Amino acid sequence: MGWTIDPTGLYDLIHRYTREAPGLPLYVTENGAAYDDKPDPEGNVHDPERIAYLRGHLSAVRRAITDGADVRGYYLWSLMDNFEWAYGYGKRFGAVYVDYATLARTPKSSARWYGEAARTGTLPRRRTPEPRGNRGRGRGAACHGGVPRLGGSRLGGTRRGASAGCGRPSVRPPLPRAK
């Protein structure tokens, strides 16, 4: 899209709000990027750029929390490719690819990566493998239909990895445990 991607901007913004409103819990909302995602001949959608984006931004959130910010949630934009007011259907922000002609949904590599991050509370170093036999049917991603999530009462709490219930379009990121 021609936008500069710099996760340190997110870190700096979190700390600015932490200084300006001490004690106010923060939530990062609608954080994501659009890439030219297309299915391969087997029907899988690989989006390594989005994985790099997520790794960088979740690392920035983790670092902000380690440095004292009270960040309680991170909401990826967007669960699925959708209509964007400024760009119509031309830009794909979703972790789940939508074939607009058939409305078939296919979790992208980033959905599986994000799901692994949510399940394990870590930022996976390797690419998450594609499920066998996906063929564009939307199977194999975390939480019934590609909705990765990390439950628990608070980020970094002891319930990391507990299910918050399927169907939520948001995720609490993998972050350090409270000391």
Side-chain angles (χ1 to χ4, degrees):
M1 293 194 53
W3 296 343
T4 300
I5 296 175
D6 182 5
T8 59
L10 178 58
Y11 173 87
D12 293 343
L13 187 62
I14 290 170
H15 272 285
R16 174 182 161 200
Y17 285 121
T18 298
R19 283 189 311 275
E20 291 179 5
L24 182 68
L26 301 173
Y27 294 83
V28 177
T29 61
E30 296 190 14
N31 184 248
Y35 296 101
D36 189 24
D37 307 326
K38 292 183 174 99
D40 65 15
E42 289 80 36
N44 295 310
V45 182
H46 304 283
D47 58 343
E49 298 91 354
R50 186 169 290 102
I51 292 171
Y53 179 94
L54 288 169
R55 174 185 291 288
H57 285 78
L58 288 173
S59 293
V61 171
R62 173 186 283 180
R63 191 167 59 109
I65 289 173
T66 300
D67 292 347
D70 185 10
V71 179
R72 297 192 183 180
Y74 175 93
Y75 297 82
L76 171 64
W77 185 257
S78 155
L79 170 64
M80 295 188 292
D81 294 332
N82 60 13
F83 181 84
E84 295 288 331
W85 287 108
Y87 300 100
Y89 291 107
K91 301 296 180 188
R92 294 185 176 270
F93 282 85
V96 176
Y97 178 87
V98 176
D99 180 331
Y100 297 126
T102 65
L103 298 182
R105 295 167 179 98
T106 304
K108 300 174 186 178
S109 297
S110 60
R112 283 179 267 290
W113 184 92
Y114 199 42
E116 184 176 342
R119 279 189 304 278
T120 65
T122 64
L123 299 177
R125 292 179 189 255
R126 62 179 169 72
R127 262 186 60 199
T128 303
E130 298 296 331
R132 291 183 182 186
N134 184 19
R135 306 270 188 249
R137 290 189 298 270
R139 296 192 181 135
C143 185
H144 315 300
V147 185
R149 80 268 186 243
L150 179 64
S153 59
R154 177 174 151 74
L155 291 179
T158 57
R159 291 182 53 212
R160 293 172 66 204
S163 172
C166 287
R168 288 190 179 178
S170 60
V171 177
R172 292 183 177 176
L175 299 166
R177 294 182 189 264
K179 294 183 178 170

